[in-house]
Amino acid sequence: MDLIIMDIVEDTVVDGPGFRTSVYAAGCRHHCLGCHNPQSWNFDNGYRVKVEQVAEQLLADPFSNVTFSGGDPLEQVEAFTELAKLIKMQSKKTVWCYTGYRFEYICQSHRLSRILPYIDVLVDGRYMQKLQNIELLFRGSSNQRLVDVEASLQLGKTILINYEPLPIEVV
């Protein structure tokens, strides 16, 4: 199975906590005003790569967790589900996924919801320029949420993560 991606960025610290390797999907239907990556809207701007090849690259770094971004990875949900499944079966890495779709909508979709068991944190919601907030960690606008997917699936309701790392004391 192939993914259509824009890029793979290693050792990033902006797409979730700690060092992460981010896979940027090509293709997005949301077309959010002010999107930081509008070139990723078009599938034709990406390149094809085998899921297994990407998994091998992601698994090769023992220290880096994984983030799916884009574009919108859920536009290629079958391939990203396969990738997330391979990562989870072969490692203890956390997987974060950014999407313009809301968690509740994903849960109601038989097709989209297949990825959820393999995602640790879902950063959901379209980017909204009028709600931009540069003080939020790992989000661009205040409508976007950090969803604890496992807890949400277990409890049958959306559970949000209040990610507030401890302040670092300067001595």
Side-chain angles (χ1 to χ4, degrees):
M1 181 175 294
D2 288 347
L3 290 163
I4 305 171
I5 63 173
M6 300 289 296
D7 201 3
I8 297 175
V9 177
E10 296 179 343
D11 299 328
T12 180
V13 294
V14 297
D15 295 326
F19 287 109
R20 308 190 77 77
T21 301
S22 292
V23 180
Y24 290 91
C28 183
R29 298 174 198 195
H30 303 296
H31 297 187
C32 302
L33 180 65
C35 173
H36 79 285
N37 199 8
Q39 65 275 18
S40 69
W41 296 351
N42 188 339
F43 282 101
D44 293 334
N45 290 338
Y47 63 94
R48 288 188 175 276
V49 62
K50 295 284 182 201
V51 167
E52 296 78 12
Q53 182 180 344
V54 175
E56 185 177 312
Q57 181 177 346
L58 297 173
L59 293 166
D61 183 344
F63 304 109
S64 189
N65 288 299
V66 177
T67 298
F68 301 155
S69 191
D72 193 324
L74 296 191
E75 300 294 345
Q76 304 177 58
V77 71
E78 293 82 6
F80 274 94
T81 298
E82 185 62 28
L83 178 59
K85 185 177 180 180
L86 287 171
I87 292 164
K88 288 301 197 176
M89 287 173 38
Q90 298 179 42
S91 75
K92 294 189 182 295
K93 294 179 181 291
T94 62
V95 178
W96 281 42
C97 182
Y98 284 77
T99 181
Y101 295 103
R102 298 293 277 188
F103 177 72
E104 295 81 2
Y105 176 82
I106 296 166
C107 288
Q108 293 173 359
S109 167
H110 176 70
R111 179 176 169 260
L112 297 178
S113 65
R114 287 184 261 173
I115 197 169
L116 293 176
Y118 309 105
I119 301 297
D120 296 287
V121 175
L122 186 78
V123 184
D124 78 343
R126 293 175 171 217
Y127 169 74
M128 298 182 73
Q129 196 167 25
K130 66 183 178 184
L131 298 176
Q132 179 182 11
N133 183 341
I134 61 171
E135 294 181 11
L136 293 172
L137 289 174
F138 314 126
R139 294 160 286 169
S141 56
S142 60
N143 64 299
Q144 294 175 311
R145 306 177 301 176
L146 302 177
V147 178
D148 182 330
V149 177
E150 183 179 355
S152 298
L153 293 175
Q154 285 178 353
L155 297 173
K157 64 180 183 177
T158 306
I159 304 297
L160 302 182
I161 295 171
N162 183 16
Y163 189 82
E164 297 291 334
L166 298 174
I168 299 172
E169 274 189 53
V170 178
V171 183

